[in-house]
Amino acid sequence: MSDLCGKCIEAPPKPVTPAQATEATAGDGALTTEGDYAALIGQAIIWLSIVGAAICIFLFGQYELPDGPYSTKKVWNTTLIGFYVASGLNGVFFGFLLSKIGSVLKHLERLKESR
């Protein structure tokens, strides 16, 4: 036997619109649209480029120069530091553009749902 009452078995399910489906899943923090994914990937690229540039600067930004017959000193290489900072800024710019594309996609998806 079924656990459902007679009225539940007889009532057909109501159709769900795409806007209702999005609202039902959007509350749990799940990514559901292309705009959400593009914004997330853009933010990930921004943070990875900042962290990667900082790691490269501190790992490879110094070199050793002779400082006498038996000693050396470490000196910061401004050319490499400038290159790593520029590379990090390039990644931040690309991530920002991708994040903005995601924002535009989200806006267009909201306009499409409201029609």
Side-chain angles (χ1 to χ4, degrees), residues 5-71:
C5 66
K7 291 181 182 179
C8 296
I9 294 172
E10 294 172 6
K14 294 181 181 178
V16 177
T17 63
Q20 292 171 338
T22 303
E23 288 175 8
T25 58
D28 59 359
L31 298 176
T32 57
T33 62
E34 291 178 15
D36 291 333
Y37 286 114
L40 177 71
I41 291 171
Q43 292 295 318
I45 289 173
I46 288 172
W47 286 109
L48 285 174
S49 64
I50 290 171
V51 170
I55 288 172
C56 287
I57 286 171
F58 288 113
L59 287 180
F60 307 115
Q62 291 184 354
Y63 62 95
E64 292 183 358
L65 285 178
D67 188 32
Y70 301 110
S71 64

